Amino acid sequence: MSIIAAQVTEWGSAPKIVKISAPPAPSDPSSTIQVRVLATGLHQVVRTRAVGKHYTSGPLPHTPGFDGTGIDIGTGKLVYFNAMSTGSFSEIINIPRENAVEIPEGVDPIQAAGLMNPVMSSWMALRKRVDFVKNGEGNKNWTVLIMGATTASGKIAIRVARMLGAKRVIGAARNEVALQALGLDDMIVLKDTPTETDFTSAAEADVVLDYLFGPWISAFLSSPATRPATNPLTWVQIGSLAGLEGAVPAAGLRQRNVTVRGSGPGAWSLAELSEEQAGMLGVLVGVKEEDVKEVKIEDVESEWDVKTKGRVVFVFGKEK
């Protein structure tokens, strides 16, 4: 039996549709399941892996995709799955059973395919990289600053932080009008010259979820507004939209109890990710995201580099 998949055969080129043999039925269904993929998201990490620049890219040919939704062929149940080791741009995939979780009522599978990756970015950062949340102390009175709050991941991080117990959520981005629409407790407008940004409202943040990196960790720690703060700070580096490298000022690390950590595969294990999937799906109950765009997988090559508002989800077996 042949199936369709999208594969990258040259780093930097768009994936092309190919026909491949379907994977064999799992010999041990207790440990491996076979999933007929319904939808899979074109996340930033998917693009980065597909150009060979991510530490998890692997060898060529590369099957793109990090996660998705589909039907567990053995049970007929609708599931969300992560498939970093195999890729998800394939009609049928075999994955470890623990990498899939049944989708609860109230969660749309297309929305889940598009939004679970941004949910994961902040959920795993808080649950696995912030000690007091990881240790079950999320009910303490804590404040989080989200650097890059107007991005798709930043927007959903607001919801995630509140669900995990944040009492005050502050967002930082360049677009003041967009920030005002997010229901934040406070906001910081980032300036073109980072050192001119006023961080006063977030000076005593307990956690920073950083989707920007580049110059911003230095700007925050060196700011006259944050220097007087004495409470411990956990800075979690998640994304690098403002630059892959950033200077960390020595004085900023010494004048305050600062912990700088990364969050991503490697900082936490795939087993830990699997354990958290049910909780992450709970974030999406009732969520309707108008900016998710459905595209047939057959159009992956032509749509790969198209600039579009919102998140692209490739769908299998659906006429659009």
Side-chain angles (χ1 to χ4, degrees):
M1 173 184 170
S2 64
I3 60 173
I4 62 170
Q7 290 187 346
V8 172
T9 56
E10 180 181 353
W11 295 127
S13 65
K16 292 179 171 60
I17 291 296
V18 297
K19 283 196 172 185
I20 60 174
S21 297
S27 58
D28 182 7
S30 67
S31 62
T32 304
I33 65 171
Q34 193 164 71
V35 175
R36 181 175 296 279
V37 178
L38 297 178
T40 181
L42 180 55
H43 317 303
Q44 183 57 45
V45 66
V46 173
R47 294 184 185 276
T48 305
R49 279 162 52 91
V51 296
K53 293 184 177 180
H54 197 270
Y55 60 96
T56 64
S57 290
L60 291 171
H62 171 78
T63 300
F66 188 93
D67 63 351
T69 56
I71 301 296
D72 179 343
I73 293 175
T75 65
K77 292 181 178 179
L78 186 62
V79 297
Y80 165 81
F81 61 85
N82 71 71
M84 189 176 70
S85 59
T86 63
S88 56
F89 283 32
S90 183
E91 195 173 0
I92 296 175
I93 58 174
N94 288 357
I95 57 172
R97 178 170 291 279
E98 62 267 21
N99 286 12
V101 61
E102 187 175 352
I103 294 178
E105 186 176 350
V107 175
D108 180 87
I110 303 298
Q111 302 297 322
L115 297 178
M116 273 289 279
N117 184 261
V119 168
M120 176 195 70
S121 70
S122 53
W123 183 281
M124 294 300 290
L126 290 170
R127 287 277 294 166
K128 297 301 178 183
R129 305 303 287 157
V130 178
D131 288 341
F132 66 82
V133 179
K134 183 177 180 179
N135 296 334
E137 301 168 16
N139 60 345
K140 65 177 283 187
N141 187 22
W142 58 284
T143 296
V144 61
L145 167 64
I146 301 169
M147 297 292 291
T150 56
T151 64
S153 295
K155 289 176 183 177
I156 211 153
I158 300 168
R159 184 181 179 97
V160 168
R162 294 198 192 282
M163 286 188 68
L164 293 179
K167 299 300 186 293
R168 190 162 174 254
V169 180
I170 304 167
R174 295 183 185 275
N175 190 324
E176 183 174 1
V177 173
L179 283 168
Q180 289 173 340
L182 298 180
L184 295 158
D185 297 305
D186 215 329
M187 65 182 190
I188 294 170
V189 179
L190 302 178
K191 303 299 183 182
D192 291 338
T193 302
T195 54
E196 295 178 359
T197 298
D198 182 2
F199 287 103
T200 300
S201 63
E204 297 186 349
D206 302 285
V207 177
V208 176
L209 298 179
D210 179 16
Y211 290 98
L212 303 179
F213 204 54
W216 291 106
I217 185 169
S218 178
F220 181 91
L221 293 177
S222 301
S223 170
T226 64
R227 286 178 197 154
T230 58
N231 61 304
L233 170 67
T234 302
W235 187 289
V236 189
Q237 202 289 308
I238 306 171
S240 49
L241 293 174
L244 293 171
E245 297 182 359
V248 181
L253 294 178
R254 294 196 303 264
Q255 69 195 12
R256 184 177 181 180
N257 181 2
V258 178
T259 301
V260 181
R261 293 174 170 170
S263 183
W268 36 256
S269 69
L270 292 181
E272 288 178 306
L273 174 61
S274 297
E275 292 170 358
E276 297 294 331
Q277 286 179 160
M280 290 190 290
L281 279 168
V283 177
L284 297 180
V285 172
V287 168
K288 296 297 180 185
E289 176 60 57
E290 296 180 358
D291 288 342
V292 169
K293 176 186 177 183
E294 294 180 52
V295 177
K296 290 190 301 181
I297 191 63
E298 289 84 353
D299 296 331
V300 62
E301 185 175 4
S302 61
E303 291 283 338
W304 183 261
D305 292 319
V306 174
K307 303 298 182 184
T308 185
K309 181 182 178 182
R311 304 187 74 85
V312 172
V313 171
F314 288 106
V315 295
F316 287 79
K318 187 173 184 179
E319 295 296 327
K320 291 293 292 180

